[in-house]
Amino acid sequence: MRQTFDATTDPSFGPRHAPLIRAAMARQALDGFLIPHEDEHQNEYLPAANDRLAWATGFTGSAGAAVIFKDAAAVFVHGRYTLQVRDQVDPGLFEIPDPVEGGGPAYLERAAKAGWTIGYDARLHSPDALERLRAAVAKAGATLKAVETNPLDEAWGEARPGQPRAAVVPHPLAYAGEASDAKRTRLGEELAKQGADSAVLTAPATIAWLFNIRGGDVIRSPLPLGQAILDKDGQARLFLDPAKVAPELPAWLGNGVRLEAPDALPAALAVQKGRKVLVDPALTSAWYFEALSEAGAAVIRGPDPAALPRACKNPVEIAGARRAHVRDGAALTRFLHWIATEAQSALPDELTIVAKLEGFREATGALKDLSFDTIAGAGPNGAVVHYRPTTRTSRRLETGSLLLVDSGAQYLDGTTDVTRTLAIGEPTAEMKERFTLVLKGHLALARVRFPEGTTGSALDALARAPLWSAGLDFDHGTGHGVGSYLGVHEGPQRIAKAPSSVALKPGMIVSNEPGYYKTGAYGIRIETLQVVTGAAPLAGGERPMLGFETLTLAPIDRRCVARSLLTDEERAQLDAYHVRVLAEIGPLVPEDVRTWLEGACAPI
Amino acid sequence: MRQTFDATTDPSFGPRHAPLIRAAMARQALDGFLIPHEDEHQNEYLPAANDRLAWATGFTGSAGAAVIFKDAAAVFVHGRYTLQVRDQVDPGLFEIPDPVEGGGPAYLERAAKAGWTIGYDARLHSPDALERLRAAVAKAGATLKAVETNPLDEAWGEARPGQPRAAVVPHPLAYAGEASDAKRTRLGEELAKQGADSAVLTAPATIAWLFNIRGGDVIRSPLPLGQAILDKDGQARLFLDPAKVAPELPAWLGNGVRLEAPDALPAALAVQKGRKVLVDPALTSAWYFEALSEAGAAVIRGPDPAALPRACKNPVEIAGARRAHVRDGAALTRFLHWIATEAQSALPDELTIVAKLEGFREATGALKDLSFDTIAGAGPNGAVVHYRPTTRTSRRLETGSLLLVDSGAQYLDGTTDVTRTLAIGEPTAEMKERFTLVLKGHLALARVRFPEGTTGSALDALARAPLWSAGLDFDHGTGHGVGSYLGVHEGPQRIAKAPSSVALKPGMIVSNEPGYYKTGAYGIRIETLQVVTGAAPLAGGERPMLGFETLTLAPIDRRCVARSLLTDEERAQLDAYHVRVLAEIGPLVPEDVRTWLEGACAPI
């Protein structure tokens, strides 16, 4: 098993560790210290060695922060973690402000005292995030101070795990589709167009994509932690721990890339003196900006130049994604068959369900990792949007309920992410009605055609309008970008309510995952990945249009559908999808599964 | 007749006037001069005295600018005026760059010479607009210089019309719904919350709304040109030409408002010394910012504090809008009956049609003005989005064609804006198909329910998706805000592709006007005004939702509808609208019109 279900922290973490942090703060004469979730790589998922927030507080979610003052402390989390944080954090030690009250900056403005010095580790904050904190602290009459030594790291001391050293290996052209030197040349030309001499790159996904390498430093995504400096002529310096460098790597990187140890990085930044250097203020920590300014470089603040090219998958990556989704769909279909047959009477618990699904994916022989820990939410657990089953929370299935399963895999040829909501016994009329409203939104977003220049935020309402019309909605984004054997959450595109200026472009992969959640009762989500394509021209059509090709192949549970709520167009669309699922997945599954799949894919 | 069809300029304007402007420029040692369309009030529509761009170039559209260098000149227009500008402007004198090439700033960067001094009139440019021009001129190595005397005004001299002096009169509470002192008090409190001591207000719509006054300085909207300074305690100074002040005005304004002549304004700005003054950098010209800075005031740049409160109509204004739309709908219905009967054989020309429609509105006895010049586009003229018929372009109706009529009125109780597209004879199958696609989008936007916080840009795609699905689209916004006996285009809300952060709020009036345009053939647009309301709660609904109440009441031409393309839901929605039209308008029109209306409102 790749997944574990035991808690890695508990509420005693705060009471045990905060005094050590405060002692280290006192030695540096700090009245407070800022602890973001982010690490040196501004990454969503962290190696254990860098999960400082969890060690300091017990909170393990992927979006949060803490402040420890000498006489008070608080933890801030994204709204989706409101319940989780109260389980994991000692409320006697930490204040837990409501997220709607404004988060860390609002707390700092309220709780910091005039004259205080509040420390921060410049390696852990992006300049964008730091500006908001600095402004709040200033309003309280206090000041921020960059520390030389992180007092939390000092307090953690010997107990801190080592930095990850997974081998960094080539990502072959058969999967990457474009050689690193070609990528570097076109990014270099882009830098020149923006008037930059070079770019400092620190986002792990950019390091992986630009050099066609993959690592294993971060769980659930094959990211190598490292940094690079790309020059406008396409030459680059790549900084990786020598212990991680696979023997074949130097030859793979070729002459255009100088491979160096991380301790060469400060000197490499120092020689940027007099040059114009592009750095992303949202992805790269403040330390780099300060180091470049001190070196006398002219910093150009702008988006990571690899973000958009990486998001637009090339034909080889798209072909890989199709293969990965057929393979993953066959594994998932075997699981769905098990849920629809044996599990209906055995009524297993969530942990058994997660293990069973992982087993089917493992059996493909191609599984490199899961793309995230499986969410299997039975009954009311399905209504907890970012639920992850543990030994303490796992529920057994019950007849007359719904099971929500959100899972995905990492294969060399692609990353998957799929959610199906499944009937255990006979769903109620209300469950079917709401499932169908979610399905209508999902189908609308899957079939939409749209002109170039359209953003994901312009399409978001299509997936919500059927729910809105019934007085319902859901509190998460409708779609996120997905990498190619990279992160399962990858920008810059997304489909969400928040305004966006990033247009959807051919080759971008996005999820389509509307949902509905009834607290204490059940959760519904239907998620597929889809790739932006040029839409086939139509008779009478006047303008080129873009559209989506659905990548994910697994039946949508017909037992949950209220047929009468679908229009003829929606019925035909659902049936056509199922015809495709049966044609592509049917030949890959055992006889008994195929027989079941024929029924599961029958016309609605 | 309130409308005229003769051209007010011709292409000789440039050759006759540019030499005079250049002579005045030379006297000030200027190498160039910037001529925006905007006047001192940053208003969309201008009094003749302030239409400097038209006088200098011949171009009369509402979005454009010109630059006159000593040896070259250019005119820039919004994309919708590409055809019009070539008719109105002498191409031998003016370069007319393609709008996609970046407009004025791009031209300045390209055409200005190093060392040149280029003049501008600070009273005519907002700081936001000026920054873009200044950056472009700097790239060319030239500099911008604010003029003391506008060389164009000097050149125009005696020939320039006088400033408008229409009487400024009270706008009674029976229409305004909220007393000026109550409005000023709540805006003052808002200023205090933002840390401002006062606000300088120059937008004519804000002057009208805040003081409950109306004027007639600008054609087609009852705007008084003036300025105000509002203090945080709700007291205000209002600057109006004494010649415009109606005798009853001082008593109407009351003690909280000090009425002064415009020449008192500079001194009033000077006494802002040491105060924090809110000014809108998009609506107020740079001159005010400079005057306040020189006076030693701390300028806070922020949106006009009246913009959002003005957009959210109060119950009295909404009741007025409903009355105005019933009255206007009856007039329009009499016109539609005439088109559907007599005009089918008489086949009149566009000018006759415009006059006929104006006549029906005049006959209500309540018409204060039109809200804009009527667009009546027969056949191919309907495909010109911002078409306005003239003696030169007017076409007669032809059998087998479409007629697009976009018109509106100003009544004391409300402003209307409505477009109907009408069959002349039998439309082709293609016309009906495309009309129905436009109708589907229109209906989707009319019936949508949405949660609080939703912006117009999030809803825009609902109106376009049916066209997109057929490879079609339209190149204008889907909806604009509308004032209450004020401007027919009024922000801050809009429904458009461009990202917006302005949420739709109860009481906001917006248009719903998707279209389709086939160049050289025909144009289709279906437009109603609708007001944002709290949607009635639904059984099973969990969240409060907003929705739209349709204000406009006039039949949609059933002869243009391809019934088979509508879903059952769409048919029921169209039929329900027509039931309402018949019930509300039927009793107000003559017998023969009512009989016709019964057929026009029959189920589809």
Side-chain angles (χ1 to χ4, degrees):
Chain A
M1 275 293 286
R2 295 169 186 264
Q3 300 174 82
T4 60
F5 305 109
D6 294 318
T8 54
T9 68
D10 64 68
S12 77
F13 270 43
R16 287 194 283 129
H17 302 153
L20 305 176
I21 299 171
R22 283 184 171 140
M25 285 162 49
R27 286 193 291 275
Q28 297 190 37
L30 297 175
D31 302 299
F33 187 65
L34 306 177
I35 306 173
H37 172 267
E38 289 72 26
D39 72 353
E40 291 82 341
H41 303 273
Q42 299 289 315
N43 208 33
E44 182 177 5
Y45 298 105
L46 305 178
N50 294 351
D51 201 352
R52 296 175 175 91
L53 182 62
W55 186 78
T57 67
F59 174 67
T60 60
S62 66
V67 178
I68 295 188
F69 289 133
K70 53 189 178 186
D71 58 358
V75 177
F76 319 96
V77 300
H78 187 279
R80 66 180 185 249
Y81 291 118
T82 311
L83 296 175
Q84 178 178 328
V85 69
R86 297 188 180 277
D87 267 357
Q88 296 188 314
V89 165
D90 184 340
L93 177 60
F94 291 101
E95 190 178 336
I96 305 172
D98 191 309
V100 302
E101 285 169 16
Y107 176 80
L108 285 170
E109 190 177 334
R110 190 174 74 239
K113 302 251 178 358
W116 275 7
T117 300
I118 298 167
Y120 70 95
D121 185 338
R123 296 172 306 154
L124 309 185
H125 299 264
S126 74
D128 283 359
L130 204 56
E131 273 324 299
R132 291 188 288 272
L133 297 168
R134 198 186 300 278
V137 165
K139 283 191 192 163
T143 51
L144 279 191
K145 183 185 169 191
V147 298
E148 290 293 323
T149 314
N150 185 319
L152 187 154
D153 294 357
E154 204 183 318
W156 205 346
E158 294 297 310
R160 184 177 175 192
Q163 286 294 317
R165 290 188 165 167
V168 177
V169 299
H171 187 53
L173 263 185
Y175 303 119
E178 183 182 11
S180 172
D181 55 1
K183 292 180 181 179
R184 295 196 318 270
T185 300
R186 68 187 172 105
L187 257 60
E189 286 166 0
E190 199 49 51
L191 291 181
K193 260 191 223 160
Q194 293 183 41
D197 298 306
S198 62
V200 170
L201 307 171
T202 64
T206 288
I207 301 296
W209 177 83
L210 185 60
F211 297 101
N212 288 335
I213 56 179
R214 294 296 186 270
D217 288 341
V218 179
I219 197 165
R220 306 297 173 236
S221 49
L223 295 171
L225 300 183
Q227 301 84 15
I229 300 174
L230 174 68
D231 284 350
K232 64 182 172 187
D233 65 1
Q235 305 273 309
R237 302 173 71 168
L238 173 60
F239 303 90
L240 288 177
D241 183 342
K244 298 197 294 194
V245 174
E248 66 272 33
L249 202 66
W252 173 250
L253 292 171
N255 290 332
V257 180
R258 194 162 134 197
L259 191 57
E260 296 175 88
D263 55 16
L265 181 60
L269 295 174
V271 301
Q272 300 298 316
K273 179 177 178 172
R275 306 181 79 201
K276 292 178 188 151
V277 185
L278 178 71
V279 197
D280 187 327
L283 295 179
T284 299
S285 59
W287 180 85
Y288 293 89
F289 290 80
E290 289 164 18
L292 286 166
S293 293
E294 281 170 23
V299 175
I300 301 176
R301 293 175 174 230
D304 181 334
L308 198 57
R310 183 177 69 233
C312 299
K313 273 68 178 172
N314 62 47
V316 171
E317 290 173 314
I318 294 171
R322 291 193 188 107
R323 279 198 311 277
H325 278 87
V326 169
R327 182 187 310 120
D328 198 62
L332 185 63
T333 297
R334 292 180 66 187
F335 167 79
L336 296 177
H337 164 253
W338 176 75
I339 290 286
T341 54
E342 278 180 57
Q344 297 283 324
S345 49
L347 300 175
D349 69 4
E350 292 165 0
L351 304 190
T352 309
I353 289 166
V354 168
K356 192 83 184 177
L357 176 53
E358 187 178 312
F360 285 121
R361 284 202 164 102
E362 201 70 75
T364 63
L367 185 69
K368 301 294 287 183
D369 198 353
L370 302 171
S371 59
F372 56 97
D373 287 335
T374 297
I375 296 169
N381 283 346
V384 181
V385 173
H386 287 260
Y387 179 69
R388 184 196 151 201
T390 65
T391 45
R392 200 160 61 81
T393 60
S394 176
R395 292 175 65 98
R396 291 191 62 152
L397 297 183
E398 288 174 30
T399 295
S401 72
L402 295 178
L403 169 67
L404 184 157
V405 182
D406 187 351
S407 68
Q410 294 283 7
Y411 305 103
L412 278 173
D413 44 11
T415 302
T416 72
D417 182 3
V418 49
T419 308
R420 290 295 180 263
T421 302
L422 309 164
I424 308 302
E426 178 65 21
T428 66
E430 182 194 88
M431 290 173 186
K432 291 171 75 167
E433 180 226 329
R434 287 170 189 200
F435 183 97
T436 309
L437 293 173
V438 173
L439 177 62
K440 288 168 80 80
H442 177 86
L443 293 171
L445 184 57
R447 75 173 174 270
V448 65
R449 286 164 170 257
F450 52 91
E452 284 182 12
T454 302
T455 65
S457 51
L459 301 183
D460 180 72
L462 298 173
R464 297 182 192 267
L467 286 161
W468 287 351
S469 71
L472 309 172
D473 199 2
F474 57 93
D475 292 326
H476 57 73
T478 300
H480 55 82
V482 178
S484 181
Y485 187 43
L486 274 177
V488 74
H489 294 151
E490 179 186 282
Q493 78 276 19
R494 59 195 302 247
I495 300 174
K497 289 182 178 180
S500 164
S501 57
V502 178
L504 294 170
K505 290 182 184 298
M508 285 181 171
I509 296 178
V510 288
S511 68
N512 170 356
E513 50 178 313
Y516 167 74
Y517 308 92
K518 182 157 183 167
T519 304
Y522 58 89
I524 295 164
R525 185 158 67 247
I526 304 172
E527 178 187 25
T528 59
L529 299 191
Q530 44 196 38
V531 58
V532 180
T533 61
L538 294 174
E542 293 172 352
R543 306 187 182 200
M545 290 282 161
L546 301 176
F548 294 112
E549 172 192 324
T550 297
L551 293 169
T552 303
L553 295 167
I556 289 168
D557 195 341
R558 295 163 68 258
R559 293 169 303 167
C560 297
V561 178
R563 185 179 185 279
S564 63
L565 296 182
L566 296 179
T567 64
D568 292 346
E569 184 183 23
E570 289 163 345
R571 286 176 201 147
Q573 186 185 354
L574 180 61
D575 288 348
Y577 176 67
H578 278 147
V579 164
R580 200 181 138 211
V581 169
L582 182 60
E584 301 210 38
I585 301 299
L588 305 178
V589 292
E591 180 70 32
D592 59 334
V593 178
R594 184 158 60 248
T595 305
W596 167 81
L597 186 60
E598 284 165 6
C601 290
I604 192 75
Chain B
M1 274 290 288
R2 296 167 185 266
Q3 299 172 84
T4 60
F5 306 107
D6 294 319
T8 53
T9 68
D10 65 68
S12 78
F13 269 44
R16 286 195 283 130
H17 302 152
L20 305 175
I21 298 170
R22 283 184 170 136
M25 284 162 49
R27 286 194 289 278
Q28 297 191 39
L30 296 175
D31 302 298
F33 187 66
L34 306 179
I35 306 173
H37 172 266
E38 290 71 26
D39 72 352
E40 290 84 340
H41 303 274
Q42 298 291 312
N43 208 34
E44 182 177 3
Y45 299 104
L46 305 177
N50 295 351
D51 201 350
R52 297 176 174 92
L53 182 63
W55 185 78
T57 68
F59 173 68
T60 60
S62 66
V67 178
I68 295 188
F69 289 133
K70 54 189 174 184
D71 58 358
V75 177
F76 319 95
V77 301
H78 187 279
R80 65 180 186 249
Y81 291 118
T82 312
L83 297 174
Q84 179 177 328
V85 70
R86 295 185 182 279
D87 267 358
Q88 295 187 316
V89 165
D90 184 337
L93 176 61
F94 291 101
E95 192 178 335
I96 305 173
D98 191 308
V100 301
E101 285 168 19
Y107 175 80
L108 285 170
E109 189 177 335
R110 189 173 76 241
K113 302 251 182 354
W116 276 9
T117 300
I118 298 167
Y120 70 94
D121 185 339
R123 297 171 305 153
L124 310 184
H125 300 263
S126 74
D128 283 359
L130 203 56
E131 272 323 298
R132 292 188 288 274
L133 297 167
R134 197 187 300 279
V137 165
K139 282 189 192 165
T143 50
L144 280 191
K145 183 186 169 190
V147 298
E148 290 291 325
T149 313
N150 186 319
L152 187 152
D153 294 355
E154 204 184 318
W156 205 346
E158 294 295 311
R160 184 178 175 191
Q163 285 295 316
R165 290 190 164 164
V168 176
V169 299
H171 186 53
L173 263 185
Y175 303 120
E178 183 183 9
S180 172
D181 55 1
K183 292 180 180 178
R184 296 196 318 273
T185 300
R186 67 185 172 108
L187 258 61
E189 287 166 0
E190 198 51 51
L191 292 181
K193 261 191 222 161
Q194 293 182 44
D197 297 309
S198 62
V200 170
L201 307 171
T202 64
T206 289
I207 301 296
W209 177 83
L210 185 60
F211 297 101
N212 288 336
I213 57 179
R214 295 296 186 267
D217 288 339
V218 180
I219 197 165
R220 305 297 174 235
S221 48
L223 294 172
L225 300 183
Q227 300 84 12
I229 300 175
L230 173 68
D231 285 349
K232 64 182 173 185
D233 65 1
Q235 304 274 311
R237 301 173 71 167
L238 172 60
F239 303 89
L240 287 176
D241 183 342
K244 298 198 293 194
V245 175
E248 66 273 35
L249 203 66
W252 174 250
L253 292 171
N255 289 331
V257 181
R258 197 163 133 194
L259 191 58
E260 296 176 86
D263 54 15
L265 180 60
L269 295 175
V271 300
Q272 300 297 315
K273 178 174 177 174
R275 305 180 81 202
K276 293 177 188 152
V277 184
L278 178 71
V279 198
D280 189 326
L283 295 179
T284 300
S285 59
W287 181 86
Y288 293 89
F289 289 80
E290 289 164 18
L292 286 166
S293 293
E294 280 171 24
V299 174
I300 302 176
R301 292 175 173 229
D304 182 334
L308 197 57
R310 184 176 68 235
C312 297
K313 273 67 177 171
N314 62 47
V316 171
E317 291 173 314
I318 294 171
R322 290 195 189 106
R323 279 197 312 274
H325 279 85
V326 169
R327 180 186 313 119
D328 198 59
L332 185 62
T333 296
R334 292 180 66 187
F335 167 79
L336 297 177
H337 164 255
W338 176 75
I339 289 286
T341 54
E342 280 180 57
Q344 297 284 322
S345 48
L347 299 174
D349 68 4
E350 293 165 358
L351 304 188
T352 310
I353 289 166
V354 168
K356 192 84 184 177
L357 176 53
E358 186 178 315
F360 285 121
R361 282 202 164 101
E362 202 70 77
T364 64
L367 186 70
K368 302 294 289 185
D369 196 354
L370 302 172
S371 59
F372 57 97
D373 286 336
T374 297
I375 296 170
N381 283 346
V384 181
V385 173
H386 288 262
Y387 179 70
R388 183 194 153 200
T390 67
T391 44
R392 198 160 61 82
T393 60
S394 177
R395 293 176 65 98
R396 288 189 65 150
L397 297 184
E398 288 174 32
T399 296
S401 71
L402 295 180
L403 169 66
L404 184 157
V405 183
D406 188 352
S407 67
Q410 294 284 8
Y411 304 103
L412 278 173
D413 45 10
T415 302
T416 71
D417 181 2
V418 49
T419 308
R420 290 293 179 264
T421 302
L422 309 164
I424 309 303
E426 178 64 21
T428 66
E430 183 194 86
M431 290 172 185
K432 291 171 75 167
E433 180 226 330
R434 290 175 186 197
F435 183 96
T436 309
L437 293 174
V438 173
L439 177 61
K440 288 168 81 78
H442 177 87
L443 294 172
L445 184 57
R447 75 172 174 269
V448 65
R449 287 165 171 256
F450 52 91
E452 283 182 12
T454 303
T455 66
S457 50
L459 300 183
D460 179 71
L462 297 172
R464 297 181 191 268
L467 286 160
W468 286 351
S469 72
L472 309 172
D473 200 2
F474 56 94
D475 292 328
H476 57 74
T478 300
H480 55 82
V482 178
S484 180
Y485 186 45
L486 275 177
V488 75
H489 293 152
E490 178 188 284
Q493 77 276 19
R494 60 193 301 244
I495 300 175
K497 288 182 178 181
S500 162
S501 58
V502 178
L504 295 169
K505 290 183 185 297
M508 285 181 170
I509 295 177
V510 289
S511 68
N512 170 357
E513 49 177 313
Y516 167 75
Y517 308 92
K518 184 159 183 164
T519 304
Y522 58 88
I524 295 165
R525 186 160 63 247
I526 304 172
E527 177 188 25
T528 60
L529 300 191
Q530 44 196 39
V531 59
V532 179
T533 61
L538 294 174
E542 293 172 351
R543 305 187 184 200
M545 290 280 161
L546 301 175
F548 293 113
E549 173 191 324
T550 296
L551 293 169
T552 302
L553 294 167
I556 290 168
D557 195 341
R558 296 163 68 260
R559 294 168 303 167
C560 296
V561 177
R563 184 181 185 281
S564 64
L565 296 181
L566 296 178
T567 63
D568 293 345
E569 183 183 23
E570 289 163 346
R571 286 175 201 150
Q573 187 185 353
L574 180 61
D575 288 346
Y577 176 67
H578 277 148
V579 165
R580 198 180 140 212
V581 169
L582 183 59
E584 302 210 35
I585 302 298
L588 305 179
V589 292
E591 180 72 31
D592 59 334
V593 178
R594 184 158 60 247
T595 305
W596 168 81
L597 185 61
E598 283 166 6
C601 291
I604 192 76

